Amino acid sequence: MAVTLKDVAALAGVSPSTVSRTCKDNPSISEETKEKVRRAMARLGYDPGTAMPPSQPVFQNSRAIGIILPPSQKETYENAFYLEAIRGISQFCGHRQYINTVITGQNEEELLQVIQTLTRAGQVDSFIVLYSRQQDPVIDYLYNEGLLYVLIGKAYQYANQTIYIDNDNLLAGQEATEYLIGLGHRAVAYLGNDSSLMFSADRKAGYQLALALHHLPQKPEFCLEVPSVPRDDSNALHTLLKGPDRPTAIVVSDDILAVALERVCLETGLSIPEDLSIISFNNSLLARLTSPQLTSVDVNSCQLGIEAASQIINHMENPNLLATKIIVPHHLIERDSCRAIP
């Protein structure tokens, strides 16, 4: 079996990104560390020349950071969460005189192609990934190539070796549900994104935990997951809200979904919060522009970006640091979309 970059990293006691940077003679790696890595290469018979494409140039001391958005044709670019996170990243990078470039793609293949082009051209070799999902080929590529990356969201793959910045989304989902239960609601539903996204899976788990702790029934029909914003003909939401045993409150994993839910309520003749209480997440501008304004959990999106930029630069300048995990606190903003059961 061929010796891999990860084998060298394990023997030398460093991260795969340190081995990759040593192969490229990156000046951010100390001579002592480079020598340790080279001894491990020699012992294992690892040839870095065969591990990289011949057209790939040696990286210089790059001060450019790639910001990777999730693959999407449209909806990602309309989500205020990503804009706020990018604002935090740009703000911190500007103070430290680092530049950043946003990387997008309509699908995973296109996204990977852009990342490969940038790394092989020597333009970017460190990345901040603005999302976390299960079985992500982008993360597989970054990890297997020994590229330095920071994840916004909980790591699903290579969790012990991944630097990530996240909220406690399970706790946030639990607290949002318990807020509604505290208002007297017993028929509480959940509307979320696809559970392959780690934040949505955790918020759903928090919702289910709160129901269990309060001995409330968990009805499968009360738990809806959608891959994108529901269209005008969303039968699932109409069915949920028109049923004889419809919920009196809903936890929604994102403000954009909550706005779509408000539209369905209008179509079905339900008033908010008189007939249905809604609590959502992200506390975006949308939450403040709706009528009534949305009660929402603020996940401090800008701070997530600032922490991610701080960690990526810290690890670029100190490549032997261990992978860091940081939890950014959340808080509930009470507005007019929830009310107590009379």
Side-chain angles (χ1 to χ4, degrees):
M1 184 179 295
V3 177
T4 67
L5 180 145
K6 288 185 284 186
D7 296 329
V8 176
L11 180 60
V14 297
S15 67
S17 64
T18 298
V19 176
S20 178
R21 287 167 176 245
T22 298
C23 294
K24 300 158 189 170
D25 200 28
N26 192 305
S28 67
I29 309 295
S30 69
E31 288 303 321
E32 180 183 357
T33 300
K34 285 180 181 177
E35 186 57 35
K36 181 166 62 172
V37 171
R38 287 166 183 154
R39 285 198 300 268
M41 288 181 187
R43 181 174 171 183
L44 293 173
Y46 178 77
D47 181 6
T50 62
M52 294 186 294
S55 60
Q56 183 171 342
V58 173
F59 284 110
Q60 301 303 313
N61 189 15
S62 172
R63 297 183 72 84
I65 298 167
I67 303 174
I68 303 176
L69 283 163
S72 173
Q73 294 188 350
K74 181 180 179 183
E75 281 143 357
T76 291
Y77 317 116
E78 300 173 343
N79 193 320
F81 170 83
Y82 299 114
L83 298 178
E84 280 292 290
I86 290 172
R87 182 170 73 89
I89 294 167
S90 299
Q91 175 183 315
F92 192 90
C93 287
H95 290 160
R96 295 290 293 271
Q97 297 184 321
Y98 280 76
I99 62 173
N100 49 71
T101 181
V102 175
I103 302 170
T104 66
Q106 295 189 55
N107 50 52
E108 290 169 341
E109 292 76 17
E110 188 174 300
L111 195 59
L112 275 171
Q113 185 176 16
V114 175
I115 294 168
Q116 290 167 353
T117 299
L118 289 171
T119 55
R120 289 172 180 172
Q123 296 175 340
V124 179
D125 65 342
S126 300
F127 299 89
I128 295 174
V129 185
L130 294 186
Y131 67 96
S132 176
R133 63 165 28 111
Q134 299 177 20
Q135 306 297 344
D136 186 1
V138 172
I139 296 300
D140 282 334
Y141 174 79
L142 296 176
Y143 181 80
N144 290 326
E145 290 296 312
L147 297 167
L148 178 63
Y149 68 93
V150 169
L151 198 62
I152 292 185
K154 185 171 70 176
Y156 180 80
Q157 300 139 280
Y158 323 114
N160 199 45
Q161 294 83 36
T162 299
I163 311 160
Y164 67 81
I165 318 296
D166 197 14
N167 306 110
D168 189 336
N169 283 298
L170 189 147
L171 178 62
Q174 178 186 343
E175 289 178 350
T177 308
E178 289 182 337
Y179 174 78
L180 295 172
I181 295 172
L183 293 176
H185 294 278
R186 295 298 178 266
V188 182
Y190 173 83
L191 172 63
N193 302 96
D194 190 333
S195 280
S196 65
L197 293 167
M198 297 302 293
F199 79 86
S200 188
D202 279 353
R203 289 172 190 173
K204 174 185 172 183
Y207 156 80
Q208 293 171 327
L209 177 61
L211 294 183
L213 290 174
H214 290 270
H215 308 290
L216 296 176
Q218 298 191 30
K219 301 179 180 180
E221 64 272 21
F222 272 26
C223 194
L224 297 182
E225 292 179 285
V226 293
S228 59
V229 177
R231 298 179 298 177
D232 293 340
D233 59 350
S234 176
N235 292 326
L237 278 177
H238 280 84
T239 301
L240 175 68
L241 297 180
K242 288 181 177 178
D245 298 319
R246 66 169 180 81
T248 61
I250 299 186
V251 178
V252 188
S253 70
D254 183 273
D255 287 339
I256 295 177
L257 284 179
V259 172
L261 175 62
E262 284 192 332
R263 185 197 67 226
V264 175
C265 288
L266 184 64
E267 294 169 354
T268 54
L270 296 178
S271 297
I272 302 168
E274 289 77 14
D275 298 318
L276 185 73
S277 290
I278 299 175
I279 185 170
S280 64
F281 284 80
N282 292 348
N283 191 36
S284 65
L285 179 62
L286 287 174
R288 303 190 293 278
L289 292 179
T290 56
S291 181
Q293 293 184 328
L294 286 168
T295 294
S296 188
V297 178
D298 193 330
V299 298
N300 295 302
S301 311
C302 184
Q303 189 63 35
L304 287 167
I306 290 171
E307 295 292 346
S310 173
Q311 287 302 311
I312 196 81
I313 292 173
N314 199 18
H315 281 76
M316 288 170 73
E317 297 178 350
N318 304 278
N320 293 322
L321 293 176
L322 296 175
T324 310
K325 289 82 168 94
I326 293 177
I327 299 297
V328 172
H330 60 269
H331 62 282
L332 179 69
I333 307 294
E334 296 185 72
R335 295 196 181 93
D336 304 323
S337 64
C338 299
R339 75 161 189 162
I341 293 289

